[in-house]
Amino acid sequence: MLPAIGAAVIHAAPAVASGGGPRVRHVVLVRFAAGTEPVEIEAVFDALANLRAVVPGMLGFDAGRNTSPEGLARGYTHGFVVDFTDAAARDAYLAHPDHKVAGAALVGLCEGGIDGILVLDFELSDG
């Protein structure tokens, strides 16, 4: 179970490169619809975190509620980050049937559906 919604969620694993290319960080910002219950958010984040058991190369999952004092969230209330050994592992995650189910559940909870999600991936350097 996740901690209280105001606290960070950490489902981390060691960040070890596979040698198949640079590691990839998958960053997702989420605008949950008004009235979304904390238990619903917890369930969808748990489903995504649990993909580590079925997606080779998925290194870790961290999620939580926005706590930034900067005032630049533009309505995004939560976010999560997934690290992968390489782009091939990220691509396998995106195509995995369990990811499609969890992703659909996430979209269903978002303000405006898919418009309530922002995704950015980038390569990590080991330096």
Side-chain angles (χ1 to χ4, degrees):
M1 293 190 73
L2 300 180
I5 288 303
V9 177
I10 300 175
H11 297 280
V16 179
S18 69
R23 291 177 297 134
V24 173
R25 181 157 291 158
H26 179 68
V27 180
V28 180
L29 303 180
V30 182
R31 282 191 308 243
F32 284 109
T36 302
E37 296 293 331
V39 68
E40 295 174 294
I41 296 169
E42 179 179 334
V44 75
F45 283 165
D46 281 348
L48 290 163
N50 290 337
L51 289 170
R52 288 178 303 155
V54 295
V55 177
M58 185 174 169
L59 298 174
F61 181 92
D62 299 295
R65 180 176 189 79
N66 175 41
T67 61
S68 175
E70 294 180 284
L72 299 174
R74 298 183 185 180
Y76 292 96
T77 60
H78 293 73
F80 64 91
V81 177
V82 186
D83 286 343
F84 297 95
T85 54
D86 53 29
R90 185 262 331 267
D91 295 348
Y93 161 86
L94 295 175
H96 197 282
D98 292 348
H99 172 262
K100 292 186 181 297
V101 170
L106 177 65
V107 168
L109 296 175
C110 288
E111 179 183 304
I114 196 72
D115 290 338
I117 298 173
L118 176 71
V119 178
L120 178 90
D121 293 354
F122 59 93
E123 295 179 350
L124 299 172
S125 67
D126 287 330

